[in-house]
Amino acid sequence: MVDITFDASWWLILVFVSDVIIRIAAIIVVPRNRRPTAAMAWLLAIYFIPFVGVLLFLLIGNPRLPRKRRRKQEQINEYITDTSSHLDFGTLRPHAPDWFTSLVTMNRRLGAMPLAGDNAAHLIADYQESLDTMAAAIRTAQGYVHVEFYILQTDDSTDNFFQALEEVAARGVTVRVLLDHWANRGKPFYKKTLARLDAMGAQWRLMLPVQPLKGKYQRPDLRNHRKLLVVDGTVAFMGSQNVTDSTYNLRKNIRRGLHWVDLMVRLEGPVVASVNAVFLSDWYSETDEVLTDEIDLFDVTSGPGDLDCQVVPSGPGFEVQNNLRLFAALLYSAQRRITVVSPYFVPDEAMLLAITTACQRGLQVELFVSEEGDQAMVYHAQRSYYESLLRAGVKIWMYRKPYILHTKCFTIDDEVAVIGSSNMDMRSFGLNMEISLLVRGEEFVQEMRDVEDRYRRISRELTLEEWLKQPLRSTILDNIARLTSALQ
């Protein structure tokens, strides 16, 4: 019989050497081109749980889309800039402050979209009314309907929307649909929704599909979070609302009685071309199909309103975080008042500094968030910032449960506002593809103020005294979630 001895010391040496190599390599690789907080979070994960940390870093450590996909975005930006550089888009409002002009220039350089005047923009704050208003616009289509939503489901609430698509498709209107792959797969009515799109003859594609066997793969938690609708290039909708029931048809939401509260904006005028350009960009990215010969991006040069509007796309396909820079610049530009509505508020250092600095400059700063959370990690990470915000002077309004305030909007002073799909959190800044709309015009800001007043009546104010009574276990959970939120 052969005597085989096992020397455990060699395995210990191997594990020790591997651990040292991992730690040294992490110091070299992880911090490169990464924010210090994100780098530190990854290093802590790798140092405390080396092998698991490395596996997670290899899986989700790259916050960028593949180079081929980013190159497509660069080509799209170049095309839009060249095509629109010599065109006028309506008459701009006079007496724009210098900071607004420089902000528009930054947005143009980062996202390529021009500032357009003569636009009409009106808010729709009722959930079902928004779905039905979009359905009514779809029924007017003569040439095409472009639908792009993070979540798209056929259910009782959205049946009118889908019926409208079916009606126009039946009379020869081209219907193109984009929906996020990971956000929809496994959700209620996913297969039924795709079958209904097939039956009507719609051209549909999944956005950012995670299908490695089909050669389609990127970091699996990258999302296309945009919500937009364009009809014939003359009317567009965008905002925070998905095409689904206000419960999202999820049993856990129905059991808890949760309903989502959202805000959409209906647009007419030259800015509709920019919203359509975002759809065409995403369509090209997913299909390699160029539609510019079929649809002129900038054939509307005047509109029925008097608002200046600029679309700002953002996401991992861009070199920098376009939405974060827009928000930070607005916070520093405000002179009297700032109101932020964000269901998921997890700011990075730049955003937190800008908000607390605004308070120190004597501005009135308000933040609307949900009292109830639907995503545990984000909910606790958000709570970890409340004490510093309250101490700085931010007035925090908590929208009463069982409603989830899902609106994403932002107003400064009395003339400028932003509305769109982007939360003020690190995910929306770095990992999600988003769309934001910058609007200049007192009448639109007044519409936003009316919505804010409605939210305020349904909310309760969180005070520092109340917050300091939080139990220790909540503080621990909040701080742990805050650390994990930086893993980008």
Side-chain angles (χ1 to χ4, degrees):
M1 178 179 294
V2 178
D3 182 21
I4 300 177
T5 59
F6 176 77
D7 189 351
S9 62
W10 285 105
W11 286 105
L12 292 173
I13 292 172
L14 179 62
V15 169
F16 174 77
V17 172
S18 300
D19 182 69
V20 171
I21 292 173
I22 288 173
R23 293 171 188 269
I24 294 174
I27 293 174
I28 298 171
V29 174
V30 171
R32 185 177 182 183
N33 297 324
R34 196 180 300 271
R35 294 196 308 274
T37 50
M40 184 60 68
W42 275 116
L43 288 174
L44 286 172
I46 292 171
Y47 271 43
F48 280 106
I49 45 173
F51 296 103
V52 175
V54 168
L55 180 62
L56 287 173
F57 182 78
L58 293 175
L59 183 65
I60 62 171
N62 183 6
R64 308 293 297 279
L65 286 169
R67 176 57 190 165
K68 180 181 178 181
R69 180 78 177 240
R70 284 182 281 132
R71 180 55 188 158
K72 284 184 177 181
Q73 186 65 61
E74 292 169 4
Q75 293 169 348
I76 291 163
N77 286 359
E78 291 170 3
Y79 173 81
I80 292 173
T81 301
D82 293 342
T83 302
S84 61
S85 61
H86 63 287
L87 299 178
D88 293 324
F89 301 99
T91 303
L92 300 179
R93 300 170 74 99
H95 312 303
D98 290 341
W99 65 261
F100 183 81
T101 303
S102 64
L103 182 65
V104 168
T105 299
M106 178 189 73
N107 294 336
R108 174 76 153 156
R109 288 176 176 173
L110 298 180
M113 303 298 177
L115 178 70
D118 294 342
N119 298 288
H122 297 289
L123 298 175
I124 309 171
D126 181 81
Y127 198 98
Q128 188 62 47
E129 180 187 350
S130 173
L131 293 170
D132 293 339
T133 303
M134 287 190 285
I138 290 170
R139 289 189 168 94
T140 68
Q142 299 297 316
Y144 65 86
V145 177
H146 289 161
V147 179
E148 178 175 344
F149 284 86
Y150 178 60
I151 295 176
L152 185 78
Q153 295 181 342
T154 176
D155 56 37
D156 290 343
S157 298
T158 66
D159 185 62
N160 185 33
F161 183 98
F162 277 85
Q163 284 185 16
L165 292 177
E166 290 165 340
E167 291 170 16
V168 299
R171 53 185 173 82
V173 172
T174 300
V175 176
R176 297 185 179 92
V177 178
L178 291 170
L179 63 157
D180 187 81
H181 178 214
W182 204 259
N184 288 277
R185 67 182 296 272
K187 293 291 196 309
F189 311 125
Y190 174 56
K191 292 183 179 179
K192 181 180 178 181
T193 300
L194 299 186
R196 192 166 184 180
L197 293 173
D198 282 333
M200 75 175 69
Q203 303 174 35
W204 62 269
R205 294 292 188 278
L206 299 173
M207 297 186 291
L208 298 179
V210 182
Q211 299 169 321
L213 297 181
K214 296 182 180 181
K216 299 177 180 179
Y217 184 81
Q218 64 278 319
R219 174 172 169 167
D221 62 338
L222 299 183
R223 301 282 188 273
N224 193 319
H225 195 238
R226 294 167 179 159
K227 294 102 174 165
L228 62 92
L229 168 70
V230 182
V231 178
D232 289 342
T234 59
V235 61
F237 296 79
M238 56 174 287
S240 66
Q241 185 174 338
N242 290 295
V243 177
T244 183
D245 183 77
S246 63
T247 66
Y248 281 47
N249 299 302
L250 296 176
R251 291 181 180 178
K252 62 180 181 178
N253 295 341
I254 296 170
R255 185 173 61 251
R256 296 167 63 188
L258 300 183
H259 289 272
W260 266 239
V261 175
D262 279 289
L263 188 64
M264 296 290 282
V265 59
R266 184 185 190 275
L267 299 167
E268 291 181 274
V271 73
V272 173
S274 292
V275 180
N276 199 34
V278 173
F279 176 90
L280 297 177
S281 301
D282 289 339
W283 186 264
Y284 169 60
S285 295
E286 300 298 352
T287 68
D288 290 324
E289 183 180 2
V290 179
L291 300 175
T292 51
D293 292 338
E294 176 184 343
I295 303 167
D296 188 348
L297 286 181
F298 302 105
D299 59 354
V300 179
T301 56
S302 63
D306 189 35
L307 298 174
D308 294 350
C309 299
Q310 185 180 33
V311 168
V312 182
S314 58
F318 293 88
E319 289 299 318
V320 299
Q321 298 170 333
N322 300 353
N323 49 352
L324 172 58
R325 295 187 182 221
L326 166 63
F327 298 157
L330 285 171
L331 289 170
Y332 282 115
S333 300
Q335 297 300 308
R336 294 180 301 280
R337 179 179 179 183
I338 296 169
T339 303
V340 175
V341 183
S342 181
Y344 312 118
F345 184 81
V346 186
D348 72 345
E349 300 95 324
M351 183 63 60
L352 185 62
L353 180 63
I355 289 176
T356 54
T357 298
C359 292
Q360 291 157 356
R361 291 194 289 124
L363 276 67
Q364 176 187 344
V365 182
E366 293 181 296
L367 171 65
F368 286 83
V369 295
S370 289
E371 184 179 48
E372 184 88 348
D374 67 302
Q375 298 183 27
M377 291 301 292
V378 180
Y379 173 70
H380 283 286
Q382 173 174 292
R383 286 162 49 92
S384 73
Y385 291 91
Y386 287 170
E387 182 176 344
S388 59
L389 291 170
L390 290 167
R391 289 189 183 280
V394 176
K395 183 173 288 189
I396 299 178
W397 295 98
M398 306 189 76
Y399 200 91
R400 291 186 182 274
K401 57 186 178 182
Y403 297 98
I404 300 296
L405 182 59
H406 195 242
T407 297
K408 304 102 166 40
C409 64
F410 179 10
T411 56
I412 69 166
D413 300 335
D414 300 314
E415 193 180 13
V416 177
V418 173
I419 182 173
S421 66
S422 179
N423 298 303
M424 283 198 175
D425 69 352
M426 293 184 227
R427 163 162 287 282
S428 280
F429 295 149
L431 303 180
N432 287 348
M433 299 175 72
E434 307 282 8
I435 180 171
S436 302
L437 178 71
L438 175 68
V439 183
R440 178 173 175 248
E442 295 89 343
E443 55 269 43
F444 184 77
V445 173
Q446 185 55 55
E447 281 195 41
M448 296 281 275
R449 295 286 187 229
D450 293 341
V451 172
E452 293 165 7
D453 288 342
R454 188 183 315 172
Y455 290 168
R456 195 177 289 105
R457 289 194 295 269
I458 304 173
S459 304
R460 68 176 183 85
E461 184 179 354
L462 176 67
T463 65
L464 181 60
E465 180 182 10
E466 175 191 345
W467 184 251
L468 293 178
K469 295 177 182 177
Q470 291 295 311
L472 178 61
R473 64 178 181 277
S474 295
T475 302
I476 293 172
L477 284 173
D478 296 344
N479 291 339
I480 292 174
R482 181 170 178 164
L483 288 174
T484 59
S485 69
L487 292 177
Q488 295 184 34

